[in-house]
Amino acid sequence: MKLILAIAAGGAIGAVGRHYVSAQVMKVLGSGFPWGTVSVNVLGSFAMGALIELMALRWNVGNELRAFMTVGFLGAFTTFSTFSLDFATLLERGEGYTALGYAALSVVLAVLGLFGGLAMTRMFLT
């Protein structure tokens, strides 16, 4: 039960964080392209890489804290469900090339963000 509560608490905080970060990015960059979703997916992927590497190399945490941070917080913060909705919306607007660019940009930058988090954490800890 502790594990489920940890995931739920992390998820609540992550969802609010996603909303806040996405809204702030959209204020700065505008709403013509889903930059808010791209931003949270890249930032969340970077954080996931950094956390996983940190926990593998130096930080021994219990299952509840690990689940709180990864499954809960980052699972709710990064949002490929919203990514899918944004993609579909762009397609329905007749912006097929923009939709494909959005999908490619999101996936490539999120994966690069994860590897960046891994590498940066390794650099500082090893």
Side-chain angles (χ1 to χ4, degrees), residues 9-91:
I13 295 166
V16 171
R18 176 185 71 214
H19 171 74
Y20 179 78
V21 169
S22 183
Q24 296 308 307
V25 168
M26 297 300 273
K27 280 183 186 176
V28 173
L29 298 178
S31 60
F33 187 83
W35 287 114
T37 304
V38 171
S39 298
V40 296
N41 283 334
V42 172
L43 181 60
S45 294
F46 179 87
M48 183 70 82
L51 272 174
I52 293 300
E53 194 69 15
L54 179 63
M55 289 185 285
L57 295 177
R58 296 275 170 94
W59 193 23
N60 187 15
V61 299
N63 288 338
E64 288 85 6
L65 183 55
R66 180 184 304 264
F68 170 86
M69 292 184 297
T70 59
V71 178
F73 179 79
L74 290 174
F77 185 76
T78 59
T79 171
F80 272 87
S81 59
T82 303
F83 161 83
S84 299
L85 176 61
D86 291 336
F87 182 85
T89 300
L90 289 168
L91 281 179

